[in-house]
Amino acid sequence: MRTSSFERCSTSKTELGFLENSETSSPTAGKNVYGAMLPVFLNDLRSNHHKELVEITLELENDAVVLRNIASVSSAPNVSPSSTHIAEDEDRGNFAGVGVEFSVARSLSITSRIKKKFPWLRSMSLRTSTSSSESVTALEEDPMTARNARRKRAELDRTRSSAQRGLKGLRFISKSGEACDELWRKVDKRFVFLAKDGLLDRENFGECIGMEDSKEFAVGIFDALARKERKAVSKITKEELHQFWLQISNQSFDARLQIFFDMADSNEDGRISREEVQELIMLSASANNLSKLKEQAEGYAALIMEELDPENLGYIELWQLEMLLLEKDRYMTYSRQQSSASVNWSQNMSSLRPKNKIHKIRKTLQCLALEYWRRGWILLLWLITIVSLFTWKIYQYKNRKSFEVMSYCLPVAKGAAETLKFNMALILLPVCRNTLTWLRSTKVRKFVPFDDNIIFHKMIAFAIVIGITVHAGNHLACDFPLLANSSPEKFSIVSSDFNNKKPTYKSLLISIEGVTGITMVTLMVISFTLATSQFRRNAVNLPSPINRLTGFNAFWYSHHLLGIVYILLFIHGSFLNLTHKWYQKTTWMYISVPLLLYIAERTLRTRRSQHYAVKVLKVSVLPGNVFSLIMSKPNGFKYKSGQYIFLQCPKISPFEWHPFSITSAPGDDYLSVHIRTVGDWTRELKLLFTEDDQLAPVNVNATFGELIQMDQIVQPKLLVDGPYGAPAQDYQNFDVLLLIGLGIGATPFISILRDLLSDTRTVDEQTDSNTETTKSDESFNSFTSSNVTPGRNKRSQRITKAYFYWVTREPGSFEWFKGVMDEVAQMDHRGLIELHNYLTSVYEEGDARSTLITMIQALNHAKHGVDILSGTQVRTHFARPNWKEVFTKIASKHPNSTVGVFYCGMPVLAKELKKLSLELSHKTTTRFEFHKEYF
């Protein structure tokens, strides 16, 4: 039903010229979807009809406009009326200069006669119904019209979008907490340092504004800003630098987008060709050290043109680049959909939010107790034992006659000696790997923190250093001088202990007790010094040839000197001047059992390694100084995901054993490890298997599902010892897993991912088989009881989600486990595993240096389903993860759950992750248990 009257408008020929000029010259021209088409329509009328005046009759009907009549004011016959209905769909267009406002729709119904008479109506129909055959024909006839239509739709979408105004991306200045004024002061200081005669060279512009690592990209910014100012300069003054700085630090998204566009638009024609896109891609790739992306710049430029220039006009404009930037997230499909949270973040926090300070303190103590109680009682027991032994020995010697001669010097020395004997026995237990691996699988793991065995080993070593200092120091500086210089009357009290012959200071030093003691101290000083992290990691710069005494090999061999120390300790404790009865000489009582256990372990290790000699099936040379070995699995060799093995190659060294995490799954019929060449031994191993002339050529492609047998021509012998327990092997005891690996530190978790994938695949197969074959409840029970492995699947079914975060610097690192990531993406139908790759060598998303890479990544992933950096279906994020945000999201999605946080990497990040685990356990209903291992 009609609700409004007819409207009539008349336009003269002079008005046509005015509107045409205003449309092309006005800065606001083209800001409206369909308003810009009115001059085209009027030009059509002028060229086709040559009339002074035309009359357009429109009828407003509900929310639509009906074109009723178009006629000349002169006596020309009226055009047959038509009923062209324009339905409204949110968007509105204004017929600028005419004063008629009407609603415009995405779908138009226009009669063929009107379309034939007025091409502008045909183009409008094309824009709104591209799926019809008429639109295809129109597109082929007039690509410029289609381009304009897309532009109008993009501008309307941009107007409706509030996200683009808040967009924090496309920054030319790296994200920082500093204010812009503070940053400018730093730029000002650098200008003073870099400028010559008050002028800053174009090549130094990047270093001056803080882009010293991407000077080539900064030069591109410089040239774009200079072209904008209509200056062809190679040097700028401080004032000009400040003007440039104001532009690149502008908070307006449009201004920053214009600069980015101008960087590519080198000929200043307002258009970007494919060649210019390619140059900008190469510039961005150079800034991020992505050589592979640089090599493929031409293909990616074609991809961008294919998406943004479907009309094949050969160029793109500013609005198209803006559309791609604002809509890139719509192109991106992630590796896994985020699982929905059971409750939101506030609900997760509300139940645990302390009501007052007392409750807050109590909650904090509860979290600390849950985190540290296992470490606490072990440490407390150890300290109590040491103090008790020290006190007991002081009390014992204080009541002896020798106390009158040597006073407190002797009791203190003997008390320290008693703690030394205890600690020398105890220090062997944390390195009895086979025993600890077995204990990890028992209920003892609930009470003993086996993950801290090396930390406890180091603590005991530190206590031994203190004990040596107190014991030897008191002997050398206190009781030896007192005894040697004692009066005959005092010496007579202890003369029977020295065969009635008063010893001298020298005779005490060269006695069996003195020589063995000094020798032990010397060997332990060497061993403990070379075991420190600085010497072990070869971080100490020493002159040649002394520098050869540092590194892992020096640590390895010097640590075996402690075997001599234990022999000397036994001798030292058997020749005591003041103790003569055998049962009072307690050294052997302390060290015999731990020493026998350690010797048994080493013997078992030697015999087992001979039995576990393996053949290398495949060697893969990978980027980033990494190679993988796929070996035959020895008979009877069983392990858990997350565990590690030791490898020895007698051809390199008959004594050196080196640990490596297992990357194959327990169900695989082979063993695989990934080795980074960082030391002499690993380099020699790589050369031995990849460049030895006697060996067959190496297969350099790493594919997990494929085993290619190497020609066993004089293959070097490789021995395997293990498996040994590691923190990650307990992953099945948690509801949710958060696996975090830095670089090669991802290796312990690859086996876990493969194991989880194998479990979920087995469950899917059993479910499908059960759906097809089960006829009744009895048959179902029979099927499950016979096919489901007891215990294992029950534990693995507890895991509801696994998050894997892999952070690396080199894009080539993703080649290491490409097969695993593709398998997860293709076969994890239950969405159990969520993968996140982070590349820290690329500037964070939103930085102008990585903006174009992000666009290409989104387009390529949408079209081919492959990430351009990792070559997998898993999206690669840029820069480092926001770990607080990661933990917060997991806590929000998994309330009242226990999250096992497993980390392998450098110690620096471990502190942050541990702090977040405690903080979120305190603030939410989700409990985070942190476990770490270092490489």
Side-chain angles (χ1 to χ4, degrees), residues 229-275:
E229 298 293 331
R230 304 297 177 187
K231 297 178 181 179
V233 296
S234 60
K235 296 182 179 181
I236 55 175
T237 64
K238 184 177 179 179
E239 290 72 20
E240 290 173 325
L241 173 65
H242 188 250
Q243 291 299 321
F244 283 6
W245 174 260
L246 291 178
Q247 293 182 62
I248 63 178
S249 60
N250 196 321
Q251 295 301 309
S252 168
F253 169 70
D254 294 332
R256 287 177 284 173
L257 180 64
Q258 186 65 58
I259 296 173
F260 190 73
F261 183 85
D262 292 340
M263 288 180 64
D265 185 20
S266 56
N267 57 6
E268 303 180 79
D269 61 352
R271 300 172 177 179
I272 301 179
S273 64
R274 191 185 69 174
E275 290 74 18

Side-chain angles (χ1 to χ4, degrees), residues 165-233:
R165 289 301 176 187
L167 190 65
K168 298 179 181 179
L170 200 57
R171 297 183 304 274
F172 291 94
I173 302 173
S174 296
K175 192 175 182 180
S176 174
E178 296 180 279
C180 191
D181 293 340
E182 296 176 357
L183 290 173
W184 166 248
R185 281 192 286 269
K186 291 184 178 181
V187 174
D188 192 4
K189 292 179 181 178
R190 287 193 286 264
F191 176 86
V192 175
F193 177 75
L194 296 170
K196 295 179 180 179
D197 300 326
L199 295 175
L200 179 69
D201 190 81
R202 170 174 173 265
E203 302 299 327
N204 294 327
F205 179 70
E207 184 177 355
C208 189
I209 65 173
M211 286 189 178
E212 56 273 4
D213 295 332
S214 46
K215 292 183 179 180
E216 189 178 352
F217 191 87
V219 167
I221 299 175
F222 181 96
D223 293 340
L225 295 173
R227 288 195 299 268
K228 188 176 181 180
E229 298 293 331
R230 304 297 177 187
K231 297 178 181 179
V233 296

Side-chain angles (χ1 to χ4, degrees), residues 24 59 96 119 128 190 214 218 265 286 346 384 416 440 462 585 598 626 661 682 694 707 727 736 744 876 910 923:
T24 56
E59 180 177 353
T128 56
R190 287 193 286 264
S214 46
D265 185 20
S286 297
S346 59
I384 290 175
R440 279 178 180 273
F462 183 72
K585 299 176 181 180
Y598 183 76
V626 171
S661 297
T682 53
Q694 296 180 342
L707 292 181
V736 179
I744 199 65
T876 299
K923 291 182 178 180

